[in-house]
């Protein structure tokens, strides 16, 4: 009898070990999942930044590179921030108002030079394939702008670039032009929480620079309400 009992214990031992291993692995995964959720929750929807420097250090994205010395432009007021990030993705949005006309004009020129480059102008967004048909006058105006943009200031370019989907990098279009497109990955990310940084409708903003996600990993843009001189800068994509 003792021999039978010993054999039975030996047979049951591997099963017990497997249960212990499975339980241990489950507990480790559970603890890791809880830790990940807690960390992710702590990084979601933060708006309480006291400065642009703090926003940047936390992961906020400027988008327009080295303009304004890597900071907000001179004269920026009514600044609002939104930052949401995990180990995988990031949503970065901020807004500000330029009340002074001279400072507004200077910044608009900076953005024009950033967006309307020779390379970008060779692929104007109004050439995106769809069923939109332009008039002869529009086509003449568009050709003139493509050939003479380097000699024009931002006001001149905007006055001639408000055609369907806009000029270089969408310059001059409205956000509405990039909604409900046939190629959905080029759609404007209207699901971003823009209401955290502005009180008006983002769809009415003028596009100064728009980089759609397409088949890539990010979408970013520079928008402005020309009446209120409120700028919105956003980034959606992988952590960088």
């Amino acid at each position: 009898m003792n021999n039978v009992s010993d054999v039975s214990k030996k047979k049951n031992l591997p099963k017990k070990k497997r249960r212990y291993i499975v339980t241990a692995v489950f507990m480790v995964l559970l603890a890791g999942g809880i830790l990940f959720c807690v960390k992710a929750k702590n990084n979601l929807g933060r708006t309480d930044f006291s400065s642009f420097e703090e926003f940047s250090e936390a992961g906020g994205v400027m988008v327009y590179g080295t303009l304004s010395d890597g900071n907000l432009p001179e004269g920026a007021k009514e600044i609002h921030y939104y930052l949401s990030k995990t180990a995988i993705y990031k949503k970065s949005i901020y807004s500000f108002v330029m009340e002074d006309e001279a400072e507004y004009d200077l910044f608009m020129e900076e953005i024009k030079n950033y967006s309307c480059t020779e390379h970008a102008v060779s692929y104007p967004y109004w050439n995106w394939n769809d069923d939109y048909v332009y008039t002869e006058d529009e086509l003449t105006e568009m050709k003139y702008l493509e050939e003479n943009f380097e000699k024009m200031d931002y006001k001149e370019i905007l006055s001639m670039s408000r055609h369907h989907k806009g000029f270089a990098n969408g310059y001059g279009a409205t956000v509405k032009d990039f909604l409900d497109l046939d190629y959905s990955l080029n759609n404007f990310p209207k699901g971003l929480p823009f209401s955290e940084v502005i009180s008006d409708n983002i769809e009415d903003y003028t596009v100064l620079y728009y980089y759609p996600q397409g088949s890539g990993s990010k979408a970013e843009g520079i928008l402005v309400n020309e009446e209120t001189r409120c700028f919105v800068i956003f980034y959606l994509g992988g952590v960088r």
Side-chain angles (χ1 to χ4, degrees):
M1 292 295 292
N2 287 338
N3 290 339
V4 174
S5 177
D6 290 342
V7 171
S8 178
K9 288 180 180 179
K10 289 179 180 179
K11 288 183 178 179
N12 290 332
L13 190 59
K15 292 182 179 180
K16 289 182 179 180
K17 283 185 176 180
R18 284 197 295 271
R19 279 200 299 269
Y20 290 147
I21 293 172
V22 170
T23 302
V25 171
F26 174 78
M27 294 302 292
V28 169
L29 292 176
L30 180 62
I34 293 173
L35 181 63
F36 178 83
C37 290
V38 170
K39 187 174 181 181
K41 185 177 180 180
N42 290 337
N43 284 320
L44 290 177
R46 186 180 173 189
T47 59
D48 60 338
F49 298 98
S50 60
S51 67
F52 187 78
E53 182 180 12
E54 182 184 356
F55 176 69
S56 298
E57 290 176 352
V61 180
M62 172 171 272
V63 172
Y64 49 90
T66 59
L67 294 184
S68 301
D69 298 322
N71 209 324
L72 289 173
E74 190 72 26
K77 298 180 179 179
E78 299 180 37
I79 307 161
H80 300 281
Y81 306 100
Y82 177 87
L83 179 62
S84 170
K85 64 175 184 175
T86 67
I88 301 173
Y89 75 93
K90 180 187 298 184
K91 299 176 183 177
S92 168
I93 316 171
Y94 62 101
S95 69
F96 54 87
V97 174
M98 303 282 288
E99 294 179 350
D100 184 85
E101 184 175 358
E103 291 172 338
Y104 173 79
D105 288 343
L106 180 62
F107 187 62
M108 287 290 282
E109 280 294 323
E110 284 189 292
I111 297 301
K112 180 262 292 183
N113 292 333
Y114 174 78
S115 191
C116 300
T117 63
E118 184 175 353
H119 175 74
V121 168
S122 64
Y123 300 97
Y125 278 25
W126 54 46
N127 282 349
W128 283 14
N129 293 325
D130 58 19
D131 297 327
Y132 197 86
V133 178
Y134 296 102
T135 66
E136 287 298 321
D137 288 342
E138 287 175 329
L139 291 172
T140 299
E141 187 174 67
M142 291 154 65
K143 183 178 180 181
Y144 177 87
L145 184 54
E146 289 177 18
E147 294 175 349
N148 297 279
F149 75 97
E150 291 179 310
K151 298 176 286 187
M152 302 165 68
D153 63 24
Y154 86 87
K155 292 179 182 178
E156 293 175 302
I157 293 179
L158 277 179
S159 70
M160 303 180 70
S161 64
R162 301 187 189 276
H163 304 296
H164 187 58
K165 292 192 179 69
F167 187 38
N169 289 309
Y171 195 89
T174 63
V175 169
K176 288 178 183 177
D177 288 335
F178 295 97
L179 301 177
D180 304 317
L181 303 181
D182 292 336
Y183 184 54
S184 61
L185 289 178
N186 282 340
N187 276 332
F188 183 84
K190 61 180 179 179
L192 285 176
F194 292 103
S195 60
E196 295 286 350
V197 299
I198 58 172
S199 58
D200 49 355
N201 191 347
I202 196 67
E203 294 183 13
D204 296 327
Y205 274 58
T206 300
V207 175
L208 300 179
Y209 174 82
Y210 177 50
Y211 185 96
Q213 180 180 356
S215 59
S217 60
K218 69 176 182 178
E220 56 187 10
I222 306 171
L223 318 170
V224 67
N225 180 325
E226 295 178 74
E227 292 184 6
T228 63
R229 297 179 184 169
C230 178
F231 291 84
V232 173
I233 290 85
F234 72 89
Y235 170 87
L236 168 66
V239 174
R240 69 179 193 182

